[in-house]
Amino acid sequence: MSGKPGVVLGQPGGEIDVFDRFTNNTVGTFQTSTFLFAGWNSTGGSAISNLSAASNPDDSLEAFALGLDSALWHVRQDRPEGVTFLGWSSLGGSFITEPAAAVNADGRMEAFVVGTDHALWHISKTTANGSTWSNWDSLGGSLAAYPVVTMNADGRLEVFARHTDNALWHIWQTVPGGSWSAWTSLGGAITSSPAAVKNADGRLEAFARGTDNALWHISQSGAGSPDWTVWAPLGGEFRNDPAAAANLDGRIEVFVRGADDGVWSNVQSSPGFSSWSGWTSLGGSTDETIAPVITLDGRLQLFAHRFDNWILTLAQVSPGQWYGAP
């Protein structure tokens, strides 16, 4: 495998779908229930970027990647929870980063990519679960890394990216599924793409590596608010883009690749609370970003690449509890 298993999605029946790019640039996927692996299936196609994916309202998964022509290509499951995909098709354009994908409040899938002009471009389905897409539209900006997208408490999508000035910038829908704000800087001096996730109280929180290689975070002042707190350090020394997810009880947990190449985690002391537990080693040896997903029974499960290109996975022994963690 090549790159990161950045597409890890849970399905209603409890299956977890993992997508990855093989060393020959073709894309494969496997479906697993915790540690029961069914083997790899090829989706065909050729990708030059890591992948992104999201679930349509009918629960069919749709994956996105840059093709050999630098256009955005996508592929969709033939049915929810299936292992067969319908074949890759091009959405056009010319881009320089891996995409991000999300579903609007009205059920329309939307994809975001950084163009050769370093602006953010987006395209969306014209109807929920449909197969027709809008034209590409530029949201402007001057971005230095791939975007990440999440949803506000009121259903408005919000996109974050590292700017060419190495600050974190964001842009958001002014109404759910509607028009977009102007880009706004959140400041900071970051050296990674961010991770963003929603607190239990509805506030978005973003994480990124600083110039000191420690992890830093910043959050909305209130659910959906345009105002944000100041940056605060979480310490540590890390080598990669962070990943974040919410535990079953609402506590955000953030994951990084440490200086020892192992997986490290830090979790909120209580849901939405600004106090954090401190860094805990989860072991392993990975050369890429960690991709978390929540299982049907509420446990977080992690997927990451080992240096030998095998995929490493680790699951909580019970919701919110890792083996050997205090």
Side-chain angles (χ1 to χ4, degrees), residues 148 158-163 165-170 184-197 203-221 226-235 242 254 274 276:
V148 298
E158 190 152 347
V159 179
F160 301 84
R162 180 166 61 92
H163 192 273
D165 65 359
N166 290 324
L168 181 64
W169 287 64
H170 66 138
T184 299
S185 175
L186 290 173
I190 63 175
T191 59
S192 73
S193 288
V197 68
R203 294 175 302 114
L204 298 185
E205 189 144 357
F207 305 83
R209 184 182 60 204
T211 53
D212 57 358
N213 291 327
L215 194 71
W216 291 70
H217 68 126
I218 189 171
S219 62
Q220 286 176 325
S221 300
D227 299 321
W228 288 68
T229 64
V230 297
W231 285 93
L234 287 174
V254 63
S274 58
W276 291 73

Side-chain angles (χ1 to χ4, degrees), residues 44-319:
S46 294
I48 61 170
S49 76
N50 291 324
L51 292 94
S52 183
S55 180
N56 285 286
D58 66 1
D59 294 323
S60 64
L61 302 184
E62 200 149 349
F64 302 82
L66 299 192
L68 299 179
D69 57 359
S70 296
L72 185 67
W73 289 69
H74 68 126
V75 67
R76 184 173 178 172
Q77 277 178 323
D78 64 341
R79 59 183 176 83
E81 303 183 47
V83 296
T84 302
F85 287 79
L86 296 174
W88 289 88
S89 59
S90 176
L91 291 172
S94 181
F95 305 106
I96 60 174
T97 69
E98 64 189 74
V103 174
N104 278 285
D106 60 8
R108 294 177 301 113
M109 185 82 70
E110 188 148 0
F112 303 85
V113 193
V114 176
T116 54
D117 58 356
H118 294 278
L120 183 70
W121 289 76
H122 71 128
I123 190 172
S124 60
K125 289 187 176 183
T126 56
T127 59
N129 297 317
S131 57
T132 303
W133 291 75
S134 69
N135 294 321
W136 283 101
D137 182 47
S138 175
L139 291 174
S142 181
L143 307 182
Y146 65 85
V148 298
V149 58
T150 190
M151 181 178 281
N152 276 282
D154 61 1
R156 292 175 300 115
L157 295 183
E158 190 152 347
V159 179
F160 301 84
R162 180 166 61 92
H163 192 273
T164 51
D165 65 359
N166 290 324
L168 181 64
W169 287 64
H170 66 138
I171 190 172
W172 58 91
Q173 290 174 331
T174 56
V175 295
S179 60
W180 291 79
S181 70
W183 282 96
T184 299
S185 175
L186 290 173
I190 63 175
T191 59
S192 73
S193 288
V197 68
K198 193 184 306 177
N199 272 287
D201 57 9
R203 294 175 302 114
L204 298 185
E205 189 144 357
F207 305 83
R209 184 182 60 204
T211 53
D212 57 358
N213 291 327
L215 194 71
W216 291 70
H217 68 126
I218 189 171
S219 62
Q220 286 176 325
S221 300
S225 173
D227 299 321
W228 288 68
T229 64
V230 297
W231 285 93
L234 287 174
E237 181 181 354
F238 306 109
R239 296 183 175 180
N240 68 319
D241 300 332
N247 279 278
L248 184 64
D249 63 2
R251 292 176 303 129
I252 291 175
E253 190 156 359
V254 63
F255 304 93
V256 293
R257 172 190 169 205
D260 61 355
D261 295 322
V263 177
W264 290 72
S265 77
N266 201 341
V267 63
Q268 288 176 328
S269 301
S270 60
F273 195 55
S274 58
S275 176
W276 291 73
S277 67
W279 290 103
T280 299
S281 174
L282 298 179
S285 180
T286 177
D287 65 352
E288 262 292 356
T289 301
I290 302 99
V293 66
I294 194 161
T295 63
L296 190 63
D297 60 4
R299 294 173 299 123
L300 289 181
Q301 185 164 352
L302 307 180
F303 296 84
H305 274 284
R306 298 192 319 196
F307 285 94
D308 58 7
N309 284 330
W310 284 81
I311 286 183
L312 172 74
T313 187
L314 177 69
Q316 291 176 332
V317 292
S318 61

